[in-house]
Amino acid sequence: MFLHAALTRNRRLVDHAIDAVRSGAIRPGTFVVDVDTVVGNAELLRDAAAAVDLRLHFMTKQIGRQPAVIRA
């Protein structure tokens, strides 16, 4: 299910990950995250929450508390 969504929404990321595994740049089973998309989604959430005066609490358990993603 996740792979189908990734192929539909961000085929370039999937292709890049495949190339990285094949070249040995990353190991099979490595999580690959499009940080630009994470930032864009966070901005959309921030703006939508601000429009209705809500505060957001960022949960990182889905991404394994990855420092680079959390900073973004």
Side-chain angles (χ1 to χ4, degrees):
M1 181 166 79
F2 175 76
L3 181 57
H4 176 73
L7 287 168
T8 301
R9 296 178 185 169
N10 199 343
R11 180 61 189 240
R12 288 178 53 201
L13 177 68
V14 175
D15 290 341
H16 179 75
I18 291 169
D19 291 343
V21 169
R22 287 182 178 158
S23 72
I26 62 174
R27 296 177 61 178
T30 300
F31 283 86
V32 177
V33 178
D34 183 340
V35 176
D36 292 334
T37 298
V38 171
V39 169
N41 288 342
E43 290 170 349
L44 290 171
L45 288 168
R46 177 200 62 205
D47 295 345
V52 292
D53 199 30
L54 287 177
R55 290 179 45 202
L56 299 177
H57 180 75
F58 185 57
M59 301 296 287
T60 60
K61 63 184 179 180
Q62 295 87 350
I63 55 172
R65 298 178 182 92
Q66 294 297 315
V69 178
I70 293 169
R71 278 190 301 273

